[in-house]
Structure formats: structure tokens, C-alpha cells
Amino acid sequence: MLQLDLNMSLVNASQSYYRRLDTIGEFRRNEICRNIMALRRMHHANIKRFNEYQQKYSNLKLDFGVQNGRIETLRSAIPIPFVYNPNTPPRGAAILHGLQLPQAGILPNSPCQENGVSLKILDPNTYLAVLNQGPPNEDEFPDLASLVVYMDLVNVMMIVWIGLRTDLLEAQEIFAIQTQNWHDWSGIYARYHARLREACITAS
């Protein structure tokens, strides 16, 4: 079952960036930081609610909830815009209704180690996506967006950045640098880094 998470250190770093930004006035800086903090709290509450629903369905062995975060799964499981029907996950999955899913995974077609298998072959389903607060008519902070990474080998979707929508492209570029062009995930999520490394050794 898919689990959601929030990387607090990375999100706090994005908030600190805006706090130090000197190209805008103090009032605007404070407003952005307040909104990021408010959105972070909302995400945290929704993540807790979502994971509780997921655990409930898993314990009851019911065929509900969201099995994984793969692109094709979410396109069929989470209608956007949200329209309720008996097969739709509960409102606890509302955090996913603001996802803007990409067309394909993020890992490159480069070897996982010297003479190793391609990262793209090892994990074709890991991706970066933009996460809005929810459907457009429910978005309280339309100038903000979040960046999430879905890590398929551990079935976890994690929020790694919250900031101005206009800075999304730069945030993605920074994230690529932080992971050494998607090869080193130890600073993002140690369990995924270990699983990817293990898969690399096994396949090579």
C-alpha cells in the first residue's frame, strides 16, 4: 500500500531560502514563509489521515485504498478533478487530488555503477511531480506548489519542497543536484537509497 511522507529538513530548507531572499520586501518574505508553514501543516495533517486510511484497509484486507503511486495506478485511482464514486478512495486521499502527474519516470538511462544495469531499468516508475494543495477550486495558496518524489522500490511518495510556483523548475534542478543526477538518494530517503543499491548489485 502506498504511504506518504514529508521530508521536514528539505521543506524547512526551502522555507529558509525565502526567509533570506533579499530581492523582495520584508512583508512579502514574511507572507511567503507564513503560507509555506501553513501549507506544510496542512500537508502533514493530510498525510497522517491518508496513511491511517491506508493502514485501516490493509489491516482489514479490503481492496480499497491506493496500492501504489505509479503513474498509471493514480490516473485510474484518483480522478482529477475529484468526482466521488463507490470505487474512489475516501476523502482521506484528497491530498493526491492536486497531483500533476508526469509522463514518465525520472531515473536516467545511465549505469547504476561501473558496468552496471541502467537505473531506468532498475526502477522505471520513480518520478517527480508537482503537488497543488488540491483541485483548483480548493487551493487556498494558488501561488504556492509542492514538489513530491515517488520512490517505487519502497512505495513511498514524499514531499521534498514547498515554495513559489514560479520557482518549481529551479527546485527540480536543485533536487537533481542533491541526488547527484538521481544516483545518490542517501540524503533524501536512506531506505530507498539502500534498496536501489541492492537492486543494482543484484542485477549486475
Side-chain angles (χ1 to χ4, degrees), residues 28-100:
R28 178 56 175 157
R29 284 201 307 271
N30 291 337
E31 179 186 39
I32 292 171
C33 290
R34 281 196 307 270
N35 289 345
I36 289 176
M37 184 174 296
L39 184 53
R40 186 191 71 191
R41 288 172 177 163
M42 293 174 69
H43 280 330
H44 188 269
N46 286 332
I47 286 171
K48 180 180 178 183
R49 187 180 179 192
F50 176 89
N51 288 340
E52 287 173 349
Y53 273 116
Q54 293 287 88
Q55 188 62 51
K56 173 184 175 181
Y57 294 132
S58 178
N59 291 341
L60 295 175
K61 301 188 184 305
L62 295 175
D63 191 20
F64 291 102
V66 184
Q67 297 302 312
N68 58 65
R70 294 179 179 182
I71 294 170
E72 61 273 16
T73 300
L74 294 186
R75 281 187 176 143
S76 59
I78 309 293
I80 300 174
F82 175 78
V83 178
Y84 177 80
N85 68 69
N87 297 318
T88 298
R91 196 57 182 165
I95 187 171
L96 299 180
H97 298 153
L99 271 177
Q100 296 179 2

Coordinates of all heavy atoms in Angstrom, one line a residue, residues 28-100:
R28 N 6.5 40.8 2.0 CA 6.2 39.7 1.1 C 7.0 38.4 1.6 O 6.5 37.3 1.5 CB 6.7 40.1 -0.3 CG 6.5 39.0 -1.3 CD 5.1 38.4 -1.4 NE 5.0 37.5 -2.5 CZ 4.0 36.5 -2.6 NH1 3.1 36.5 -1.6 NH2 4.0 35.7 -3.6
R29 N 8.2 38.6 2.1 CA 9.0 37.5 2.6 C 8.3 36.8 3.7 O 8.1 35.6 3.8 CB 10.4 37.9 3.1 CG 11.4 38.2 2.0 CD 12.8 38.1 2.6 NE 13.0 39.0 3.7 CZ 13.4 40.3 3.7 NH1 13.6 40.8 2.5 NH2 13.5 41.0 4.8
N30 N 7.8 37.6 4.7 CA 7.0 37.0 5.8 C 5.8 36.4 5.4 O 5.4 35.3 5.9 CB 6.7 38.1 6.8 CG 8.0 38.7 7.5 OD1 9.0 38.0 7.6 ND2 7.9 39.9 8.0
E31 N 5.1 36.9 4.4 CA 3.9 36.3 3.9 C 4.1 35.0 3.3 O 3.4 34.0 3.5 CB 3.2 37.2 2.9 CG 1.9 36.7 2.3 CD 1.4 37.6 1.2 OE1 2.2 38.1 0.3 OE2 0.1 37.7 1.1
I32 N 5.2 34.9 2.4 CA 5.5 33.6 1.8 C 5.9 32.6 2.8 O 5.4 31.4 2.8 CB 6.7 33.8 0.8 CG1 6.3 34.7 -0.4 CG2 7.2 32.4 0.3 CD1 7.4 35.1 -1.3
C33 N 6.7 32.9 3.8 CA 7.1 32.0 4.9 C 5.9 31.5 5.7 O 5.8 30.3 6.0 CB 8.1 32.6 5.8 SG 9.7 32.8 4.9
R34 N 5.0 32.4 6.0 CA 3.8 32.0 6.8 C 2.9 31.0 6.0 O 2.4 30.1 6.5 CB 2.9 33.3 7.1 CG 3.4 34.1 8.3 CD 2.4 35.0 8.8 NE 1.8 35.9 7.8 CZ 2.3 37.1 7.4 NH1 3.3 37.5 8.1 NH2 1.7 37.8 6.5
N35 N 2.8 31.3 4.7 CA 2.0 30.5 3.8 C 2.6 29.1 3.7 O 1.9 28.1 3.6 CB 1.7 31.1 2.5 CG 0.8 32.3 2.6 OD1 0.1 32.5 3.6 ND2 0.7 33.1 1.5
I36 N 3.9 29.1 3.5 CA 4.6 27.8 3.4 C 4.4 27.0 4.7 O 4.1 25.8 4.6 CB 6.1 28.0 3.1 CG1 6.3 28.5 1.7 CG2 6.9 26.7 3.3 CD1 7.8 28.8 1.4
M37 N 4.5 27.6 5.8 CA 4.3 26.9 7.1 C 2.9 26.4 7.2 O 2.7 25.2 7.6 CB 4.7 27.8 8.3 CG 4.6 27.1 9.6 SD 5.1 28.2 11.0 CE 6.8 28.4 10.6
A38 N 1.9 27.2 6.8 CA 0.5 26.8 6.8 C 0.3 25.6 5.9 O -0.4 24.6 6.3 CB -0.4 27.9 6.5
L39 N 0.8 25.7 4.7 CA 0.7 24.6 3.7 C 1.4 23.3 4.2 O 0.9 22.2 4.1 CB 1.2 25.0 2.4 CG 1.0 24.0 1.2 CD1 -0.4 23.6 1.1 CD2 1.5 24.6 -0.1
R40 N 2.5 23.5 4.8 CA 3.3 22.3 5.4 C 2.4 21.6 6.5 O 2.3 20.4 6.5 CB 4.6 22.8 6.0 CG 5.5 21.6 6.5 CD 6.6 22.1 7.3 NE 6.2 22.6 8.6 CZ 6.9 23.3 9.4 NH1 8.2 23.7 9.1 NH2 6.5 23.7 10.6
R41 N 1.8 22.4 7.3 CA 0.9 21.8 8.4 C -0.3 21.1 7.8 O -0.7 20.0 8.2 CB 0.5 22.9 9.3 CG 1.6 23.5 10.2 CD 1.1 24.7 11.0 NE 2.2 25.1 11.9 CZ 2.2 26.3 12.5 NH1 1.2 27.2 12.3 NH2 3.1 26.7 13.3
M42 N -0.9 21.7 6.7 CA -2.0 21.0 6.1 C -1.5 19.7 5.4 O -2.2 18.7 5.5 CB -2.6 22.0 5.0 CG -3.2 23.2 5.6 SD -3.8 24.4 4.3 CE -5.1 23.5 3.6
H43 N -0.4 19.8 4.8 CA 0.1 18.5 4.2 C 0.4 17.5 5.2 O 0.0 16.3 5.1 CB 1.4 18.8 3.4 CG 1.3 19.4 2.1 ND1 0.2 19.2 1.3 CD2 2.1 20.2 1.4 CE1 0.3 19.8 0.1 NE2 1.5 20.5 0.2
H44 N 1.0 17.9 6.4 CA 1.3 16.9 7.4 C 0.0 16.3 7.9 O -0.1 15.1 8.1 CB 2.0 17.7 8.6 CG 2.5 16.8 9.6 ND1 1.8 16.4 10.7 CD2 3.7 16.1 9.7 CE1 2.5 15.6 11.5 NE2 3.7 15.4 10.9
A45 N -1.1 17.1 8.1 CA -2.3 16.5 8.6 C -2.9 15.6 7.6 O -3.5 14.5 7.9 CB -3.3 17.7 9.0
N46 N -2.9 16.0 6.3 CA -3.5 15.1 5.3 C -2.7 13.8 5.1 O -3.3 12.8 4.8 CB -3.5 15.9 3.9 CG -4.7 16.9 3.9 OD1 -5.7 16.8 4.6 ND2 -4.5 18.0 3.2
I47 N -1.4 13.9 5.2 CA -0.5 12.7 5.1 C -0.9 11.8 6.2 O -1.0 10.5 6.0 CB 1.0 13.1 5.2 CG1 1.4 13.8 3.9 CG2 1.8 11.9 5.5 CD1 2.8 14.4 3.9
K48 N -1.0 12.3 7.4 CA -1.4 11.4 8.6 C -2.7 10.7 8.3 O -2.9 9.5 8.5 CB -1.4 12.2 9.9 CG -1.8 11.4 11.1 CD -1.8 12.3 12.3 CE -2.2 11.4 13.5 NZ -2.4 12.2 14.8
R49 N -3.7 11.5 7.8 CA -5.0 11.0 7.6 C -5.0 9.9 6.5 O -5.6 8.8 6.6 CB -5.9 12.1 7.2 CG -7.4 11.7 7.0 CD -8.2 13.0 6.6 NE -9.6 12.7 6.4 CZ -10.4 13.5 5.9 NH1 -10.0 14.7 5.4 NH2 -11.7 13.2 5.7
F50 N -4.2 10.2 5.4 CA -4.1 9.3 4.3 C -3.5 8.0 4.8 O -4.0 6.9 4.5 CB -3.3 9.9 3.2 CG -3.0 9.0 2.0 CD1 -3.9 8.9 1.0 CD2 -1.9 8.2 2.0 CE1 -3.6 8.1 -0.1 CE2 -1.6 7.3 0.9 CZ -2.5 7.3 -0.1
N51 N -2.4 8.0 5.5 CA -1.7 6.8 5.9 C -2.6 6.0 6.9 O -2.5 4.8 6.9 CB -0.4 7.2 6.6 CG 0.7 7.6 5.6 OD1 0.6 7.4 4.4 ND2 1.7 8.4 6.1
E52 N -3.4 6.7 7.7 CA -4.3 6.0 8.6 C -5.3 5.2 7.8 O -5.6 4.1 8.1 CB -5.0 7.0 9.6 CG -4.0 7.5 10.6 CD -4.7 8.6 11.5 OE1 -5.8 9.1 11.1 OE2 -4.1 9.0 12.5
Y53 N -5.9 5.8 6.8 CA -6.8 5.1 5.9 C -6.1 3.9 5.2 O -6.7 2.8 5.2 CB -7.3 6.0 4.8 CG -8.5 6.8 5.2 CD1 -8.5 8.2 5.2 CD2 -9.8 6.2 5.5 CE1 -9.6 9.0 5.6 CE2 -10.9 7.0 5.8 CZ -10.8 8.4 5.9 OH -11.9 9.1 6.2
Q54 N -4.9 4.1 4.7 CA -4.2 3.0 4.1 C -4.0 1.8 5.0 O -4.2 0.7 4.7 CB -2.9 3.5 3.6 CG -3.0 4.5 2.4 CD -3.4 3.9 1.1 OE1 -4.6 3.7 0.8 NE2 -2.4 3.5 0.3
Q55 N -3.6 2.2 6.3 CA -3.3 1.1 7.3 C -4.6 0.4 7.6 O -4.6 -0.8 7.8 CB -2.7 1.7 8.5 CG -2.2 0.7 9.6 CD -1.2 -0.2 9.0 OE1 -0.2 0.3 8.5 NE2 -1.3 -1.5 9.1
K56 N -5.7 1.2 7.7 CA -7.0 0.6 8.0 C -7.4 -0.5 7.0 O -7.8 -1.6 7.3 CB -8.1 1.7 8.1 CG -9.5 1.2 8.3 CD -10.5 2.3 8.3 CE -11.9 1.9 8.3 NZ -12.9 3.0 8.3
Y57 N -7.3 -0.1 5.7 CA -7.7 -1.0 4.7 C -6.8 -2.2 4.6 O -7.2 -3.3 4.3 CB -7.7 -0.3 3.3 CG -8.8 0.8 3.2 CD1 -8.5 2.0 2.8 CD2 -10.1 0.5 3.7 CE1 -9.5 3.0 2.7 CE2 -11.1 1.5 3.6 CZ -10.7 2.7 3.1 OH -11.7 3.7 3.1
S58 N -5.5 -2.0 4.9 CA -4.5 -3.1 4.8 C -4.8 -4.1 6.0 O -4.8 -5.3 5.7 CB -3.1 -2.5 5.0 OG -2.1 -3.5 5.0
N59 N -5.1 -3.6 7.2 CA -5.4 -4.4 8.3 C -6.7 -5.3 8.0 O -6.8 -6.4 8.4 CB -5.6 -3.6 9.6 CG -4.3 -3.0 10.0 OD1 -3.2 -3.5 9.6 ND2 -4.3 -2.0 10.9
L60 N -7.7 -4.6 7.4 CA -8.9 -5.3 7.1 C -8.9 -6.2 5.9 O -9.9 -6.9 5.6 CB -10.1 -4.3 7.0 CG -10.4 -3.5 8.3 CD1 -11.4 -2.4 8.0 CD2 -10.9 -4.4 9.4
K61 N -7.8 -6.1 5.2 CA -7.6 -6.8 3.9 C -8.7 -6.5 2.9 O -9.2 -7.4 2.2 CB -7.5 -8.3 4.2 CG -6.4 -8.7 5.1 CD -6.2 -10.2 5.2 CE -5.1 -10.6 6.3 NZ -3.8 -9.9 6.0
L62 N -9.0 -5.2 2.9 CA -10.1 -4.8 1.9 C -9.4 -4.2 0.7 O -8.3 -3.7 0.7 CB -10.9 -3.7 2.5 CG -11.8 -4.1 3.7 CD1 -12.5 -2.8 4.3 CD2 -12.8 -5.1 3.4
D63 N -10.0 -4.4 -0.4 CA -9.5 -4.0 -1.7 C -9.8 -2.5 -2.0 O -10.5 -2.2 -3.0 CB -10.0 -4.9 -2.9 CG -9.3 -4.6 -4.2 OD1 -8.1 -4.1 -4.1 OD2 -9.8 -5.0 -5.2
F64 N -9.5 -1.7 -1.0 CA -9.6 -0.2 -1.2 C -8.3 0.4 -1.0 O -7.3 -0.2 -0.9 CB -10.7 0.3 -0.2 CG -12.1 -0.2 -0.4 CD1 -12.6 -1.2 0.3 CD2 -12.8 0.4 -1.4 CE1 -13.9 -1.6 0.1 CE2 -14.1 0.0 -1.6 CZ -14.7 -1.0 -0.9
G65 N -8.3 1.8 -0.9 CA -7.1 2.5 -0.7 C -6.3 2.5 -2.1 O -6.8 2.2 -3.1
V66 N -5.1 3.0 -2.0 CA -4.2 3.2 -3.2 C -3.1 2.2 -3.1 O -2.3 2.3 -2.1 CB -3.7 4.6 -3.3 CG1 -2.9 4.8 -4.5 CG2 -4.9 5.6 -3.2
Q67 N -3.0 1.3 -4.0 CA -2.0 0.2 -3.9 C -0.6 0.7 -4.1 O 0.3 0.3 -3.4 CB -2.3 -0.9 -4.9 CG -3.6 -1.6 -4.7 CD -3.7 -2.2 -3.3 OE1 -2.8 -2.9 -2.9 NE2 -4.8 -2.0 -2.6
N68 N -0.3 1.6 -5.0 CA 1.0 2.2 -5.2 C 0.9 3.6 -5.8 O -0.3 4.0 -6.1 CB 1.9 1.3 -6.0 CG 1.2 1.0 -7.4 OD1 1.1 1.9 -8.2 ND2 0.9 -0.3 -7.6
G69 N 2.0 4.2 -6.0 CA 2.0 5.6 -6.5 C 2.4 5.7 -8.0 O 2.7 6.8 -8.5
R70 N 2.4 4.5 -8.7 CA 2.7 4.6 -10.1 C 1.8 5.4 -10.9 O 0.6 5.6 -10.6 CB 2.8 3.2 -10.6 CG 3.9 2.3 -10.0 CD 3.9 0.9 -10.5 NE 5.0 0.1 -9.9 CZ 5.3 -1.1 -10.2 NH1 4.5 -1.8 -11.1 NH2 6.3 -1.8 -9.6
I71 N 2.3 6.0 -12.0 CA 1.5 7.0 -12.7 C 0.2 6.3 -13.2 O -0.8 6.9 -13.1 CB 2.4 7.5 -13.9 CG1 3.6 8.3 -13.4 CG2 1.5 8.3 -14.9 CD1 4.6 8.7 -14.5
E72 N 0.3 5.1 -13.8 CA -0.9 4.5 -14.3 C -1.9 4.2 -13.3 O -3.1 4.2 -13.5 CB -0.5 3.3 -15.2 CG 0.2 2.1 -14.4 CD 1.7 2.3 -14.3 OE1 2.2 3.4 -14.6 OE2 2.3 1.3 -14.0
T73 N -1.4 3.8 -12.1 CA -2.3 3.5 -10.9 C -3.1 4.7 -10.5 O -4.3 4.7 -10.3 CB -1.5 2.9 -9.7 OG1 -0.8 1.8 -10.1 CG2 -2.4 2.6 -8.6
L74 N -2.4 5.8 -10.3 CA -3.0 7.0 -9.8 C -4.0 7.7 -10.9 O -5.0 8.2 -10.5 CB -2.0 8.1 -9.4 CG -1.1 7.7 -8.2 CD1 -0.2 8.8 -7.7 CD2 -2.0 7.2 -7.0
R75 N -3.6 7.5 -12.1 CA -4.5 8.1 -13.1 C -5.9 7.4 -13.1 O -6.9 8.0 -13.4 CB -3.9 7.9 -14.5 CG -2.8 9.0 -14.8 CD -2.3 9.0 -16.2 NE -1.4 10.1 -16.4 CZ -0.3 10.1 -17.1 NH1 0.0 8.9 -17.7 NH2 0.5 11.1 -17.3
S76 N -5.9 6.1 -12.7 CA -7.2 5.4 -12.7 C -7.8 5.5 -11.3 O -9.0 5.4 -11.1 CB -7.0 3.9 -13.1 OG -6.1 3.3 -12.2
A77 N -7.0 5.6 -10.2 CA -7.5 5.5 -8.9 C -7.9 6.9 -8.3 O -8.8 7.0 -7.5 CB -6.4 5.0 -7.9
I78 N -7.3 8.0 -8.8 CA -7.6 9.3 -8.3 C -8.1 10.2 -9.4 O -7.3 10.8 -10.1 CB -6.4 9.9 -7.6 CG1 -5.7 9.0 -6.6 CG2 -6.7 11.3 -6.9 CD1 -6.6 8.7 -5.4
P79 N -9.4 10.2 -9.7 CA -9.9 11.0 -10.7 C -9.6 12.5 -10.4 O -9.7 13.0 -9.3 CB -11.4 10.8 -10.7 CG -11.6 9.5 -10.0 CD -10.5 9.4 -9.0
I80 N -9.2 13.2 -11.5 CA -8.9 14.6 -11.3 C -9.6 15.3 -12.5 O -9.3 15.0 -13.7 CB -7.3 14.9 -11.4 CG1 -6.6 14.2 -10.3 CG2 -7.1 16.4 -11.4 CD1 -5.1 14.3 -10.3
P81 N -10.5 16.2 -12.2 CA -10.9 16.7 -10.9 C -11.7 15.6 -10.1 O -12.3 14.7 -10.7 CB -11.8 17.9 -11.2 CG -12.4 17.6 -12.5 CD -11.3 16.9 -13.3
F82 N -11.7 15.7 -8.8 CA -12.3 14.7 -8.0 C -13.8 14.6 -8.2 O -14.5 15.6 -8.1 CB -12.0 15.0 -6.5 CG -12.7 14.1 -5.5 CD1 -12.1 12.8 -5.3 CD2 -13.8 14.5 -4.8 CE1 -12.7 11.9 -4.4 CE2 -14.4 13.6 -4.0 CZ -13.9 12.3 -3.8
V83 N -14.3 13.4 -8.5 CA -15.7 13.1 -8.6 C -15.9 11.8 -7.8 O -15.3 10.8 -8.1 CB -16.2 13.0 -10.0 CG1 -17.6 12.6 -10.0 CG2 -15.9 14.2 -10.8
Y84 N -16.8 11.9 -6.8 CA -17.0 10.7 -6.0 C -17.7 9.6 -6.7 O -18.6 9.9 -7.5 CB -17.8 11.1 -4.7 CG -18.0 9.8 -3.9 CD1 -17.0 9.3 -3.0 CD2 -19.2 9.1 -3.9 CE1 -17.2 8.2 -2.3 CE2 -19.4 8.0 -3.2 CZ -18.4 7.5 -2.4 OH -18.6 6.4 -1.6
N85 N -17.2 8.4 -6.5 CA -18.0 7.2 -6.9 C -17.6 6.1 -6.0 O -16.6 6.2 -5.3 CB -17.7 6.8 -8.4 CG -16.3 6.3 -8.6 OD1 -15.9 5.3 -8.1 ND2 -15.4 7.1 -9.3
P86 N -18.4 5.0 -5.9 CA -18.1 4.0 -4.9 C -16.7 3.4 -4.9 O -16.3 2.8 -3.9 CB -19.2 2.9 -5.2 CG -20.3 3.7 -5.9 CD -19.6 4.7 -6.7
N87 N -16.0 3.4 -6.1 CA -14.7 2.8 -6.2 C -13.6 3.8 -5.9 O -12.4 3.5 -6.0 CB -14.5 2.2 -7.6 CG -15.5 1.1 -7.8 OD1 -15.7 0.3 -6.9 ND2 -16.1 1.1 -9.0
T88 N -13.9 5.1 -5.7 CA -12.9 6.1 -5.4 C -12.4 6.0 -4.0 O -13.2 5.8 -3.1 CB -13.6 7.5 -5.7 OG1 -14.0 7.6 -7.0 CG2 -12.5 8.6 -5.4
P89 N -11.1 6.2 -3.8 CA -10.6 6.2 -2.4 C -11.3 7.3 -1.6 O -11.8 8.3 -2.2 CB -9.1 6.5 -2.6 CG -8.8 6.0 -4.0 CD -10.1 6.3 -4.8
P90 N -11.3 7.2 -0.3 CA -12.0 8.1 0.5 C -11.4 9.5 0.5 O -10.4 9.7 -0.1 CB -11.9 7.5 1.9 CG -10.6 6.7 1.9 CD -10.6 6.1 0.5
R91 N -12.1 10.4 1.1 CA -11.7 11.8 1.1 C -10.3 11.9 1.8 O -9.6 12.9 1.6 CB -12.7 12.7 1.8 CG -12.5 14.2 1.6 CD -12.6 14.5 0.1 NE -12.4 15.9 -0.2 CZ -12.2 16.4 -1.4 NH1 -12.0 15.6 -2.4 NH2 -12.0 17.7 -1.5
G92 N -9.9 10.9 2.5 CA -8.5 11.0 3.1 C -7.5 11.0 2.0 O -6.3 11.3 2.3
A93 N -7.8 10.6 0.8 CA -6.9 10.6 -0.3 C -6.9 12.0 -1.0 O -6.2 12.1 -2.0 CB -7.2 9.5 -1.3
A94 N -7.5 13.0 -0.4 CA -7.7 14.3 -1.1 C -6.4 14.9 -1.4 O -6.2 15.7 -2.3 CB -8.5 15.2 -0.2
I95 N -5.3 14.6 -0.6 CA -4.0 15.2 -0.8 C -3.5 14.9 -2.2 O -2.8 15.6 -2.9 CB -3.0 14.8 0.2 CG1 -1.7 15.6 0.1 CG2 -2.8 13.3 0.2 CD1 -0.7 15.4 1.2
L96 N -3.9 13.7 -2.8 CA -3.5 13.3 -4.1 C -4.2 14.0 -5.2 O -3.8 13.9 -6.4 CB -3.6 11.8 -4.2 CG -2.7 11.0 -3.2 CD1 -2.9 9.5 -3.5 CD2 -1.3 11.3 -3.3
H97 N -5.4 14.6 -4.9 CA -6.2 15.2 -6.0 C -5.5 16.4 -6.6 O -5.9 16.8 -7.7 CB -7.5 15.6 -5.4 CG -8.3 14.4 -4.9 ND1 -9.3 14.6 -3.9 CD2 -8.3 13.1 -5.2 CE1 -9.8 13.4 -3.7 NE2 -9.2 12.5 -4.4
G98 N -4.5 17.0 -6.0 CA -3.8 18.1 -6.5 C -2.5 17.7 -7.3 O -1.8 18.6 -7.8
L99 N -2.3 16.4 -7.5 CA -1.1 15.9 -8.3 C -1.2 16.3 -9.7 O -2.2 16.2 -10.4 CB -1.0 14.4 -8.1 CG -0.2 13.9 -7.0 CD1 -0.2 12.3 -7.0 CD2 1.3 14.3 -7.0
Q100 N 0.0 16.8 -10.3 CA 0.1 16.9 -11.7 C 1.1 15.8 -12.1 O 2.3 16.0 -12.0 CB 0.6 18.3 -12.0 CG -0.3 19.4 -11.7 CD 0.2 20.8 -12.0 OE1 1.3 20.9 -12.5 NE2 -0.5 21.8 -11.7

